Amino acid sequence: EQTATFTFVGSDVSLNADALSEGDGGRVIVWADNTTRLSGDIKARGGSAGGDGGFAEVSGKLNLVFRGTADLTAASGSIGSILFDPTSIEVRNAGGDNITQNLFGESVNSNLDFDADLLEGLGASVTLQANNTIVIDEAINLTTAGASLTLQAGRNIDINASITTNNGSIVII
């Protein structure tokens, strides 16, 4: 099975796996052995007459830059989920210190560097899964009704700011 070394999804690209009138949203996987950069939109919504939201995974084994959006909602069902799983993750204000540049010339401070605003606007339950560490240095407020946040790390999870949801759960593993 072939895999990509680098994956780039531009800001004018929309990856859609929506159900039509009835049914669950589909699956969207964007993955690379080295670096994934996603600036576009992911949609895997449940059908308008019934069905649950779908699933999305955005992964870069070494580096991941996510500047896109995701909508995995469902008009008549349960919200879907999105997984981010690089080596390390830091959620912080984009203007932080110790910034380096990745392969695409963008500023990053870890394998996945999020501004909390990107997470807050996602129409999905979010799983941040890191082999090493997860650091939360900026408050996260998931605004989508029922959206949950799961933090799973192989080593440490450092939470230095508040995390809230809109009737969703917070799971730390």
Side-chain angles (χ1 to χ4, degrees):
E1 185 173 308
Q2 295 291 322
T3 58
T5 302
F6 301 98
T7 302
F8 171 77
V9 178
S11 59
D12 58 343
V13 175
S14 182
L15 304 172
N16 294 304
D18 292 340
L20 299 177
S21 62
E22 282 191 56
D24 297 342
R27 297 172 58 87
V28 176
I29 310 293
V30 180
W31 194 83
D33 287 340
N34 187 308
T35 300
T36 294
R37 176 185 174 194
L38 190 142
S39 298
D41 303 320
I42 296 173
K43 295 178 183 171
R45 298 174 290 197
S48 58
D52 297 333
F55 173 78
E57 177 181 352
V58 181
S59 299
K61 189 173 181 181
L62 298 179
N63 295 294
L64 175 58
V65 178
F66 181 81
R67 300 291 185 258
T69 64
D71 184 355
L72 289 88
T73 57
S76 301
S78 298
I79 192 168
S81 61
I82 188 166
L83 166 67
F84 299 98
D85 64 342
T87 302
S88 297
I89 299 171
E90 185 174 354
V91 177
R92 64 179 180 83
N93 184 308
D97 296 329
N98 300 322
I99 295 174
T100 59
Q101 288 193 335
N102 68 9
L103 181 66
F104 298 102
E106 293 180 319
S107 298
V108 295
N109 195 26
S110 65
N111 294 100
L112 175 56
D113 189 29
F114 271 116
D115 190 304
D117 293 343
L118 284 171
L119 289 175
E120 293 170 356
L122 295 177
S125 289
V126 177
T127 298
L128 300 179
Q129 184 179 58
N131 291 335
N132 288 334
T133 61
I134 297 174
V135 178
I136 309 295
D137 279 338
E138 183 180 13
I140 299 171
N141 179 20
L142 296 183
T143 58
T144 301
S148 299
L149 177 65
T150 301
L151 305 175
Q152 182 177 5
R155 293 188 182 166
N156 299 330
I157 299 175
D158 298 330
I159 300 175
N160 305 312
S162 65
I163 301 172
T164 57
T165 66
N166 181 2
N167 293 322
S169 61
I170 300 169
V171 178
I172 301 170
I173 302 171

